[in-house]
Amino acid sequence: MLAHRTNRRRIATIAATGALILPVVSLTGTPTAAAAAPVLDTSLARSPELSETSRLADRRTVVTGDRAWVLGTADGRFPAAGFHTRGEMGGIWLPNLKLLDGMWFGIDGDWIGEGTKTTAGWGYVRTDLPTTHGVAASRTDVVPDGVSGVLMGLSLRATRTRTITLKLNAHSELMSSYPWGETNPSQTGVNLPDTVARRGGNLEFRDRGTAPGAHQTKHSWAAVVGSSLDPAATGNATGADFRGPQDPATICPASGPDAPTQPARCDDTEYGHGAGGQLSYRVKLRKGETRTFWFGVGGSTEGVGRARSELRAALSDPAGALEDLRAARQQIDANTTVDLPGDPQLADSVRWSKQMLAASEQTVDDVHVRVVNAGQNYPAPVGTLRSMSWLGAGWPDYTWLFGTDGEYTAFAAVAAGQFGPIEAHLRALRDVSAIANGGSGKIVHEVTPDGAVYFGANADAGNTDESAKYPSAVNLVWHWTGDRAFLRDLYPASKAAMEWVAKQDADGDGWPEGLGNVEREGMGEEKLDNAVYAVRGYADLADLAKARGDAKTRRWAVAHARALLDHFEADWWYGGDTRSYADSLDDPGNEQVFQRHWIGLTPTDAVLPAIPGRKAAPLASRKHAVATLKEHQGPCYAAVGLGLFHTGTGPTSAETGNPGSSCDSVVSAVPSERNIYTLNSAIAAVSEGNYGRLGTGQQGLYTTGNARAQLDPSLWEMPGMMPEVVPGGDSGANIERLFTERSMVMQAWGAYGTLWPVVHQWLGVSPDAGRGRVSVVPQVPQGQTQASGDQIRVGRGSVDVAAQHHGSVYSTTVDRHGRIALTLGAVLPRGSEIVSATLDGRAVRPRLTTTSRGLEATVARGGGQGSSTLVVTIA
């Protein structure tokens, strides 16, 4: 750690006698129940933690590994949750197969009560439980990587030495990740009944057979539940129920237009055809001693034998698995370690965003790719993949492979130094797209873990932006990793993607048709975001082609990019008092359509690499960019401290519930949608930073909103996890909604709005690792004096960056770990005059370049290692 780093602010610490004291953030409210003294097993590995005590029954929690995950509520219960197959998206899952609705524990004839505190760590969640018959308890949920199973550790401490009866209930629901509740076919028709049997001290749940309908195949799904303990001779049983304290279960109707109003809380739905069972154990507790007993479930799509093996693997060393997971997450934490004295909340958000990205990694084997036409049919598979790894978009309803989500998340992933997962994600997109679309070049939009391409096949009307963004994501990863094998592997798909985009131009104006991120009535054929990312996509393809020595493709891509750049502002700037870009163009005639969607900021978000005749720069002209960024800060488009609306408001005469006369005068047939998605705010944050607007009333509006969404208990459900939608505007908090009607408790793409601004814009890290160079040109936000980051990965090495700004003096220190050519500098106010500049104490004359961020003063250092410091003083 560099000497210039300051001690990070810690809000609280937790400790127990003999325990390792670790940094935490305590986010506690009014307890839901009288809490006993916490039960902490000091032999178990722990990480920095975030805790909460308020409204635990209303907060979802999720714990993931790369091959399984578990979602319940913070009080330790498992209500029916999720909407794709309504009520069945929670519980215990493999990526492609649901295993259980839940697991529950009891002591001496009574169920353990609702939890009193939830604590999120790196790769685990601990629930403090009330005392039952003199036994205090806590439950630690862990999902080891590489294992198709879940572990639950029950830590117990008795007030006196005694032997207790400990019982476990488990209820199965073996169900594939696709189809969903309202697709054709539906889970109503294809979900077969589960069976349960007790064998060798375990409960074995099975779903075997062939579901009715075309193209269904014989399957053998299994979940095996057990413990490292031996069950007692009595108290074991199987049957239809066995949901612990959630018996008798409230069974809610399946979704659909004829479904009656859902009860406030459900335990299962009419989709369910599970089975239940109970295992009983006799365990001895010594007075005052804490012991942890481990229970688990292993699952498989390949029969009960494989499920047994997965359970054995999970239970072979649970404490060791937790330690391995903690150690792996510690390595992730060690990369991109930032210190932001002027914004410690954002620094904490960066830290937890790295963990959120790690929690999003998913892997599944034997993927059967089929094109399901937005859920309207279920054809035979068109191909298979031996394995597929990706970054899941959001839990619990969007855990699968997405193009758009992953392409935005790529920026956060490289800034966090998590190169492998995003490379795997982009390869998975390439592989599935090649199978589903027959080599057309089109990149798919949405793929479930069992291979159902829900949207993005050749016959679908979009999403055009997915294909346009693909070469940009590949080029981004290539620049940060310098991985030539990755470049060689994905260059052909990048080229094919832009060739496909070029063909989506029926009127010959260069702007591609098709659906984009926003799909609303009244939009024209050509969408703004598709246009923006197509221009950038051509420029990035040209850069990739240069790296590959493909001169012909480079000329083609440059020609397309320059042709569109020549008339972008004329075609898309709406002007007037909107001070915004049109959302779409309506053919014939390219008539501008303005509806105030968040995609209006994509021209300020997209940064193009250099092409002949144009320096690397954001797409939007500075004049129009500043105008529209200022417009979007107002109450017509954003909520202070929360973020950017999906669709802004117009004049009072056209819409109700808007801020009034401050809104522009354009009347739109589309009503406002003042829901704040963390992605919307991320794009706004990055846009502000692209133009050097880092103040608290500029970029800070959005970085603060996303950081609060992750760390402020009034906004999130689960500590440390950034949600899909932030409460505010027209959207209430998730905890006020039915569990079957909520947005995602964790959505990876929001990290784009925290990691990328800090690493790329504040610290100024911009690698070109494949060409052996990196540029570091920081910009400390207005009103702050310093920012730093250690172990920011660049290629096979890393850089440490420290930036300071005190009055007229700007200082940048870069430590290189690994040989790489360095350009270092600082962003100065426009029009600045330099009084002096030194590099490692020797006078230098910096190169001055006016960019969208300001006046950049830079000096070049050759390839090498070690520390370099540039100090610039202005008049």
Side-chain angles (χ1 to χ4, degrees), residues 179-212:
W180 303 325
E182 296 182 7
T183 55
N184 181 28
S186 164
Q187 283 289 358
T188 304
V190 303
N191 186 25
L192 302 180
D194 296 355
T195 62
V196 58
R198 182 167 170 260
R199 181 181 183 276
N202 297 329
L203 295 172
E204 296 188 346
F205 301 96
R206 305 184 72 178
D207 180 335
R208 292 176 291 178
T210 304

Side-chain angles (χ1 to χ4, degrees), residues 41 47 138 158 318 382 388 421 605 666 750 762 783 855:
D41 187 337
S47 72
S138 67
V382 292
M388 181 173 78
D605 165 70
V666 174
W762 292 27
L855 181 65

Side-chain angles (χ1 to χ4, degrees), residues 636-654:
C636 304
Y637 284 95
V640 175
L642 295 173
L644 184 72
F645 298 147
H646 180 283
T647 303
T649 56
T652 305
S653 59

Side-chain angles (χ1 to χ4, degrees), residues 297-350:
V297 54
S300 177
T301 59
E302 300 175 2
V304 70
R306 179 64 179 270
R308 292 173 190 146
S309 297
E310 296 295 337
L311 177 62
R312 285 195 297 270
L315 289 172
S316 62
D317 183 10
L322 178 57
E323 168 55 30
D324 290 346
L325 190 58
R326 185 210 61 80
R329 295 296 185 87
Q330 181 63 49
Q331 289 181 334
I332 288 169
D333 182 63
N335 290 326
T336 312
T337 305
V338 303
D339 186 23
L340 311 176
D343 197 341
Q345 184 182 59
L346 182 57
D348 283 334
S349 178
V350 166

Side-chain angles (χ1 to χ4, degrees), residues 776-842:
V776 181
V777 187
Q779 185 175 23
V780 177
Q782 296 92 321
Q784 300 187 37
T785 59
Q786 59 183 316
S788 64
D790 290 351
Q791 292 298 311
I792 299 169
R793 291 185 67 191
V794 175
R796 296 182 178 180
S798 66
V799 295
D800 304 333
V801 181
Q804 297 187 17
H805 170 211
H806 296 280
S808 61
V809 180
Y810 296 77
S811 173
T812 301
T813 298
V814 179
D815 281 1
R816 287 174 284 175
H817 306 285
R819 300 189 66 84
I820 191 167
L822 169 67
T823 297
L824 75 163
V827 179
L828 312 176
R830 292 173 181 276
S832 296
E833 294 185 8
I834 295 179
V835 174
S836 66
T838 62
L839 178 62
D840 298 332
R842 300 178 64 181

Side-chain angles (χ1 to χ4, degrees), residues 408-442:
Y408 284 120
T409 304
F411 291 86
V414 295
Q418 296 175 31
F419 296 166
I422 192 59
E423 287 189 340
H425 186 104
L426 293 173
R427 284 190 170 102
L429 279 176
R430 186 271 314 271
D431 294 343
V432 174
S433 299
I435 293 172
N437 290 329
S440 72
K442 183 175 183 178

